[in-house]
Amino acid sequence: MRSTMQDAPLLIRDIVRHGQWMYADKRVFTATSAGMTSTSFADVAQRAERLAAALTRLGVQRDDRVATLMWNNQTHMETYLAVPSMGAILHTLNVRLFADQLAFIINHAADKVIVVDPSLVPLLARIKEHIAGVEHIIVNGPLDDAPFAVIDYEEFIGAEEPGFDWPDLDETSAAVMCYTSGTTGDPKGVVYSHRSTWLHSMASTSANSIGFNDHDRCLLVVPMFHVNAWGAVYTAFMAGTELIMPQMFLQGELLLNMIMELRPTVAVGVPTIWNDLLRAAGGRSDTDLTSLRTILAGGAAVPRFLIEAFRERHGVDVLQGWGMTETSPLVAVSTPPTGVSREHEIDYRVKAGRVMAGVDIRITNDQGEVLARDGVAVGEFELRGPWITAGYYGTDAPDFFRDGWLRTGDIGTLDPHGFMVITDRAKDLIKSGGEWISSVELETTVMGHEGVFEAAVIAVPDDRWQERPLCVVVRTPTSEVSAQELRDYLSDYVAKWWLPEHWSFVEGLPKTSVGKFDKRALRRLVADGHLEIQTL
Ligand code: ADP
């Protein structure tokens, strides 16, 4: 028997329409060097309609790729709304990629148009002659001296009327594409559909996850070129959540100013950003973070001390999320379950998260056998579901899938209540004497020492044990903490044979294009002899 329910497609245009009238007065704030600007959802949606009309005039058709090379700002949001809704595909380019990687991705995706922020035009100029397939470049703002022919965004959309007639589309058609940041090999393209975007957005409004709603104002620190800013742009329009777009002003002090001026209720970004905010917040006597009901930290393991410090010093709860480019990204959020005391909540917040409805998850061993969800068995996480990718764009990558499940490359445990704990990425695990050591646990623990600002742990070869951990530490400005003191500190928390004997103190750690510790770069520094290493 077939159900009698209607089967209207889940399309991004309807998220746009919903936010446009239901939350017409909600605002999008954008940081500029001259202060904050702000515009209403109604205006943003109208400008998106004009943009769609202008792109149509330019010759953009169904399935054409329109790329963005932009920071988090209102215009970027307009492309998010317009391009998929008109049936084209939005391709968000990572502004921190090396020029040759960027050219590779633009050509691989066959981008036809690029919308670029003025500050990023020089980056584009460096690769212009290698991206011959790009027909038009639209610049978001005035440019004194354009190195090539460009279209001015305001003139472009100013020539059109609002009220674009969004087309009917198949809900499984491509809406947005984003390439993985390439920390584990060549960047690979992931294509999100209208349907996957809808369902992912709805999941993000669930109170069991972040629960975005119309009481919220969100400081969107996670870049819009990284997995749709974790879906927050679409969720915001769906739920009536206001957005604060920080552009390139991402230092702790600047974010602190934005928080105190605009009083967001939610902030989302990677843990390194929040560590920097914590440092900035501690340096001011008038710090006030009380507007924040939660900070969502994800993309990398969140150290316990960070969660404790935000709660104890500033009264802010940190939620952890787990996800990857391939998973739209949200899969799990560490919302503590019912019945847990305030004191024990933190034992849940330090986990990667609890899996959301819609995502099917399992852990497997090297032979592909499914392991128990008992919080003890350690294996690789595998996923499937309506917002989990089933393949990569234009690339055959059978090793990343098993019987229709995405192999994440992340290793850890799954408990009977659906909480994931990440031990490591498979390639970052340290194999010592036939046993695994978790680099994640070592680094998140050592970062709890008051003299440590940041720390990353990688494997170094060892004649006797095969591999041993090397801990690379950035001290806090006044700290003189020694390797021995840190080793003693760690010994209260981890097994004796895990304790690193190799230590290195540096001014700063290499970070990936999205702000995570870059262990590949760190391994290269060690291999090239560029790190001074003490061995205890
Ligand atoms: P990249 O692979 O280039 O870092 P992604 O943003 O797709 O780009 O990264 C996804 C990966 O980030 C996951 O596979 C996982 O290793 C890591 N990650 C994400 N969230 C967490 C978390 N809460 N704890 C530990 N690792 C995380």
Side-chain angles (χ1 to χ4, degrees):
M1 185 174 74
R2 280 183 61 82
S3 101
T4 52
M5 287 298 121
Q6 300 182 355
D7 57 0
L10 303 174
L11 299 178
I12 289 176
R13 68 154 194 219
D14 295 315
I15 299 179
V16 179
R17 284 174 175 163
H18 181 75
Q20 184 169 15
W21 76 274
M22 185 78 71
Y23 304 116
D25 298 334
K26 294 285 179 178
R27 304 207 70 84
V28 180
F29 299 86
T30 300
T32 72
S33 45
M36 281 285 169
T37 62
S38 100
T39 309
S40 69
F41 275 23
D43 282 345
V44 170
Q46 267 202 4
R47 287 168 57 87
E49 291 168 348
R50 290 172 191 265
L51 173 60
L55 288 170
T56 305
R57 168 170 42 96
L58 202 62
V60 171
Q61 297 179 352
R62 282 284 157 94
D63 278 349
D64 278 350
R65 263 71 84 191
V66 176
T68 55
L69 188 64
M70 305 176 90
W71 300 102
N72 289 16
N73 56 46
Q74 178 200 317
T75 312
H76 205 171
M77 183 161 179
E78 289 160 13
T79 67
Y80 263 62
L81 303 182
V83 175
S85 298
M86 66 185 282
I89 302 168
L90 178 77
H91 175 199
T92 53
L93 296 166
N94 183 333
V95 307
R96 294 211 171 86
L97 287 184
F98 293 116
D100 54 349
Q101 257 182 333
L102 204 54
F104 166 80
I105 288 174
I106 291 169
N107 291 327
H108 191 261
D111 294 334
K112 187 166 175 179
V113 175
I114 300 181
V115 188
V116 59
D117 277 335
S119 62
L120 295 164
V121 168
L123 172 58
L124 210 49
R126 265 187 271 152
I127 56 168
K128 181 71 176 59
E129 62 183 90
H130 305 295
I131 49 170
V134 175
E135 293 171 18
H136 304 283
I137 293 175
I138 302 169
V139 184
N140 174 32
L143 210 55
D144 288 340
D145 204 5
F148 38 73
V150 297
I151 298 169
D152 177 82
Y153 185 88
E154 287 303 324
E155 282 174 21
F156 185 56
I157 69 166
E160 302 295 333
E161 295 298 321
F164 189 80
D165 190 14
W166 302 119
D168 292 329
L169 301 167
D170 181 330
E171 66 175 7
T172 59
S173 54
V176 182
M177 65 194 299
C178 176
Y179 280 68
T180 60
S181 51
T183 39
T184 48
D186 275 343
K188 292 187 290 299
V190 176
V191 181
Y192 312 103
S193 68
H194 286 259
R195 174 185 159 81
S196 72
T197 305
W198 242 94
L199 295 172
H200 179 265
S201 301
M202 290 205 79
S204 306
T205 64
S206 159
N208 282 338
S209 63
I210 320 161
F212 279 120
N213 63 73
D214 84 330
H215 300 263
D216 278 327
R217 177 178 283 181
C218 173
L219 175 64
L220 197 62
V221 180
V222 60
M224 288 169 72
F225 57 75
H226 187 223
V227 214
N228 296 338
W230 300 351
V233 176
Y234 295 119
T235 311
F237 239 63
M238 182 181 267
T241 298
E242 296 195 319
L243 291 174
I244 305 171
M245 306 289 207
Q247 299 244 60
M248 70 288 269
F249 306 107
L250 301 173
Q251 296 89 334
E253 285 76 9
L254 300 176
L255 293 178
L256 181 58
N257 288 340
M258 286 178 216
I259 293 171
M260 289 177 50
E261 182 188 339
L262 291 172
R263 301 190 59 77
T265 58
V266 184
V268 298
V270 292
T272 45
I273 291 273
W274 304 130
N275 200 25
D276 198 35
L277 175 69
L278 188 66
R279 182 193 51 72
R284 262 171 77 160
S285 57
D286 63 341
T287 291
D288 177 6
L289 301 181
T290 52
S291 67
L292 289 169
R293 70 171 172 86
T294 194
I295 288 178
L296 180 69
V302 186
R304 177 180 281 263
F305 92 90
L306 193 75
I307 303 173
E308 282 172 349
F310 270 110
R311 178 192 281 189
E312 284 160 19
R313 296 180 211 162
H314 303 291
V316 180
D317 280 331
V318 175
L319 264 184
Q320 178 160 188
W322 183 95
M324 53 200 300
T325 306
E326 290 84 339
T327 66
S328 294
L330 282 176
V331 162
V333 179
S334 69
T335 314
T338 183
V340 174
S341 69
R342 188 86 179 126
E343 188 193 339
H344 287 113
E345 267 194 359
I346 191 139
D347 296 331
Y348 290 91
R349 294 182 188 276
V350 293
K351 297 176 198 272
R354 190 178 200 179
V355 178
M356 300 192 289
V359 180
D360 217 359
I361 188 164
R362 66 183 190 185
I363 49 173
T364 58
N365 64 14
D366 287 346
Q367 290 73 46
E369 292 157 356
V370 178
L371 304 178
R373 294 189 297 224
D374 58 5
V376 178
V378 177
E380 180 178 1
F381 289 99
E382 296 186 350
L383 304 166
R384 62 181 184 189
W387 60 88
I388 309 297
T389 197
Y392 292 101
Y393 172 73
T395 310
D396 243 359
D399 293 351
F400 291 83
F401 300 90
R402 194 199 312 268
D403 313 328
W405 294 73
L406 168 74
R407 301 182 61 179
T408 64
D410 276 15
I411 308 292
T413 60
L414 188 60
D415 80 7
H417 306 290
F419 279 94
M420 305 166 67
V421 170
I422 306 289
T423 320
D424 242 321
R425 285 187 160 193
K427 64 178 177 37
D428 291 338
L429 270 168
I430 301 162
K431 190 155 204 182
S432 174
E435 300 282 345
W436 296 110
I437 295 176
S438 161
S439 69
V440 168
E441 194 166 335
L442 284 176
E443 63 204 21
T444 53
T445 309
V446 86
M447 281 170 67
H449 189 283
E450 60 183 9
V452 175
F453 176 55
E454 286 179 340
V457 172
I458 57 169
V460 288
D462 186 278
D463 288 344
R464 178 157 179 219
W465 301 108
Q466 187 180 354
E467 286 180 348
R468 288 295 298 158
L470 160 69
C471 186
V472 187
V473 174
V474 181
R475 294 188 183 100
T476 55
T478 53
S479 156
E480 290 178 5
V481 68
S482 69
Q484 188 59 53
E485 282 167 324
L486 290 177
R487 193 176 144 99
D488 292 346
Y489 171 82
L490 268 181
S491 65
D492 285 344
Y493 300 96
V494 301
K496 196 150 176 259
W497 61 275
W498 279 33
L499 295 174
E501 55 277 55
H502 306 297
W503 294 80
S504 182
F505 292 90
V506 295
E507 294 296 315
L509 284 169
K511 306 263 169 63
T512 69
S513 56
V514 294
K516 309 184 198 185
F517 298 140
D518 188 344
K519 296 197 178 181
R520 198 156 68 151
L522 212 48
R523 282 192 273 267
R524 244 188 339 258
L525 286 177
V526 174
D528 296 346
H530 292 321
L531 277 195
E532 202 176 304
I533 297 173
Q534 300 175 22
T535 299
L536 298 174

